[in-house]
């Protein structure tokens, strides 16, 4: 294998490894939730895998029924809602948050309760995937002894 080809393969390997490690930390970190008292419930939850994150994250849609009776569409791209929530009423709250560079704050719905993270899987994603990529990279670029 030629050296430019190895470099290209190593670059793609590291992009995939770092992207996967990042997706794993999002998936296993749990949902911090915004806390506070429930101000509504997520109902009619439907979920599908988010293939942009190699299927590790869930993409869920729901309808939030607020305490005042209004209904809001809700889309969760970061696995805050999961397939385990389908058929349940999940307590939700809304807080005023500032997103991005905007100085305006807007009401954003989030889970009212914290989901526990999986610390072992989180650390394996954070440290294990890059270590495996490093091992593969070293194996690709090692000097091989000629067969005698």
């Amino acid at each position: 294998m030629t050296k430019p080809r190895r470099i290209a393969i190593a670059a793609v390997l590291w992009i995939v490894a770092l992207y996967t490690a990042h997706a794993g930390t999002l998936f296993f970190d749990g949902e911090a939730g915004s806390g506070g008292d429930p101000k509504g419930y997520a109902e009619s939850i439907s979920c599908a895998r988010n293939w942009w994150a190699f299927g590790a994250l869930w993409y869920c849609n729901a309808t939030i029924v607020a305490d005042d009776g209004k209904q809001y569409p809700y889309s969760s791209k970061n696995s805050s809602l999961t397939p385990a929530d389908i058929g349940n009423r999940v307590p939700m709250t809304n807080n005023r948050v500032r997103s991005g560079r905007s100085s305006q704050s807007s009401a954003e719905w989030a889970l009212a309760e914290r989901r526990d993270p999986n610390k072992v899987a989180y650390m394996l994603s954070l440290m294990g995937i890059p270590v495996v990529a490093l091992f593969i990279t070293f194996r690709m670029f090692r000097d091989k002894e000629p067969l005698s």
Side-chain angles (χ1 to χ4, degrees), residues 77-105:
K77 296 178 184 170
N78 63 353
S79 296
S80 58
L81 290 174
T82 66
D85 296 322
I86 294 174
N88 297 326
R89 291 176 47 137
V90 180
M92 303 290 282
T93 187
N94 62 355
N95 288 332
R96 308 255 340 143
V97 295
R98 194 178 331 166
S99 61
R101 296 181 181 181
S102 173
S103 60
Q104 297 288 333
S105 61

Side-chain angles (χ1 to χ4, degrees), residues 73-135:
Y74 178 75
S75 180
S76 163
K77 296 178 184 170
N78 63 353
S79 296
S80 58
L81 290 174
T82 66
D85 296 322
I86 294 174
N88 297 326
R89 291 176 47 137
V90 180
M92 303 290 282
T93 187
N94 62 355
N95 288 332
R96 308 255 340 143
V97 295
R98 194 178 331 166
S99 61
R101 296 181 181 181
S102 173
S103 60
Q104 297 288 333
S105 61
S106 60
E108 186 174 299
W109 287 94
L111 292 176
E113 58 196 20
R114 179 169 171 76
R115 300 265 168 105
D116 291 330
N118 184 338
K119 292 179 183 177
V120 173
Y122 178 85
M123 288 308 294
L124 283 175
S125 295
L126 186 64
M127 302 302 288
I129 294 171
V131 166
V132 169
L134 185 65
F135 177 75

